[in-house]
Amino acid sequence: MRTMYEFDFPALGGETKKKTNKSVGQVDSDGPAKVDQERLTQTKAFSDFRLLLRPHQNRTMRRNLQSQTIECMYNQFEPFSNSPTTMRLSEQATRMRGRKGVGRGLTAAWSEALSFEMLHRLFDAKLLQTEHELAERNVVADYLCEVYDLPVLVSVTRAYKPNSNLTSEECLELLQRKIRGLVKSNQILSPPAKVMVHVWASDLIVATRLQAAVAELTNDFGGLVVMITATVFDCKLDHSFIFGNQ
């Protein structure tokens, strides 16, 4: 993650985000009318975090990796503690977190390592190359992994800035910028990999707008996967280990 693409999101207040998130179907002033939250009917609970998922995630991922169009996946991440030391990362994710990239801070490292950890736990992803190793080949991406025997080039971004709102236009701009860079880097690989953009969204409102932005993308990019992960922290986002300024 060379830079942190920051846009204006509303921070969540109160003791827990569950109490302050908009309810399903509630309309905000700029975004689309509905969060796809009611479809998150499956729960994967681990010792350190919980994931809320749509049904048949494995089948969906297999299909999306074979698709020649832009596919969107959505889930929700709820850590059981805001202390990153409670995260029991796999050896591969720990390897990612330990390699510093240019301009890469502590929270950026955690967002990338947890991105891979999610793919590893859900889809048995295997790490092929870290950001540092890809940079040696002039490939700008956060990691290259293997999912269902296919190479997947992944770019991770955190869309967050306190005390403001992200517009629909900014959501679209964020996705376009990340995808263009990833597609360009993928052309260096031989053979090319499948490409995935993983966006950590600060709340359900943001996740809704991002999902709507995916629908606005043209098919000029070819087949790719956009994974949107809404987050629920029991602390202020700028103190969290994903969105903090460390």
Side-chain angles (χ1 to χ4, degrees):
M1 182 180 290
R2 300 287 176 180
T3 58
M4 178 174 175
Y5 292 95
E6 293 186 344
F7 291 90
D8 296 343
F9 284 75
L12 294 178
E15 294 182 356
T16 66
K17 287 187 172 55
K18 290 181 180 178
K19 296 179 181 179
T20 56
N21 279 337
K22 284 193 174 184
S23 61
V24 175
Q26 187 171 344
V27 180
D28 67 296
S29 60
D30 178 71
K34 195 173 185 180
V35 170
D36 205 5
Q37 183 76 358
E38 72 275 17
R39 295 183 62 192
L40 300 183
T41 58
Q42 289 192 343
T43 301
K44 288 276 189 178
F46 305 97
S47 62
D48 42 6
F49 62 83
R50 173 172 57 204
L51 295 172
L52 302 183
L53 307 163
R54 291 173 177 170
H56 314 300
Q57 284 286 285
N58 293 75
R59 186 171 65 191
T60 300
M61 178 61 85
R62 286 181 184 273
R63 184 182 67 242
N64 289 349
L65 291 176
Q66 299 290 343
S67 174
Q68 296 304 308
T69 59
I70 299 173
E71 304 292 343
C72 181
M73 301 184 70
Y74 173 61
N75 49 52
Q76 185 168 301
F77 171 83
E78 300 180 10
F80 295 140
S81 169
N82 192 47
S83 172
T85 59
T86 65
M87 294 292 157
R88 299 182 179 180
L89 299 181
S90 63
E91 181 179 345
Q92 299 168 86
T94 301
R95 172 184 157 204
M96 282 182 57
R97 194 171 62 86
R99 297 304 300 264
K100 287 284 185 180
V102 177
R104 186 167 177 261
L106 180 61
T107 52
W110 274 108
S111 69
E112 295 161 17
L114 283 171
S115 170
F116 171 78
E117 189 70 17
M118 283 181 57
L119 297 185
H120 177 64
R121 296 191 194 187
L122 291 175
F123 311 113
D124 196 28
K126 298 174 177 61
L127 182 64
L128 300 178
Q129 289 187 305
T130 65
E131 176 187 9
H132 179 80
E133 293 161 345
L134 289 169
E136 293 176 346
R137 303 168 61 185
N138 296 317
V139 176
V140 181
D142 292 312
Y143 61 91
L144 177 69
C145 68
E146 181 181 277
V147 181
Y148 300 134
D149 298 322
L150 293 173
V152 182
L153 189 66
V154 183
S155 180
V156 184
T157 189
R158 298 164 293 162
Y160 165 69
K161 193 174 182 179
N163 304 320
S164 299
N165 285 326
L166 176 68
T167 67
S168 298
E169 290 76 14
E170 286 170 330
C171 277
L172 183 59
E173 178 188 348
L174 167 64
L175 292 175
Q176 289 174 331
R177 189 185 313 179
K178 295 296 289 186
I179 291 170
R180 287 194 191 101
L182 195 58
V183 169
K184 183 178 180 181
S185 286
N186 194 39
Q187 295 171 353
I188 300 173
L189 295 179
S190 182
K194 191 71 179 180
V195 295
M196 175 186 292
V197 175
H198 187 183
V199 186
W200 292 98
S202 58
D203 60 25
L204 300 183
I205 299 171
V206 174
T208 306
R209 293 181 179 179
L210 286 167
Q211 288 180 80
V214 172
E216 295 296 319
L217 294 170
T218 66
N219 207 31
D220 299 340
F221 300 112
L224 61 95
V225 177
V226 177
M227 179 177 286
I228 299 168
T229 300
T231 57
V232 176
F233 281 97
D234 289 336
C235 67
K236 293 182 178 179
L237 290 182
D238 56 1
H239 293 164
S240 69
F241 56 81
I242 290 181
F243 296 103
N245 295 318
Q246 303 177 51

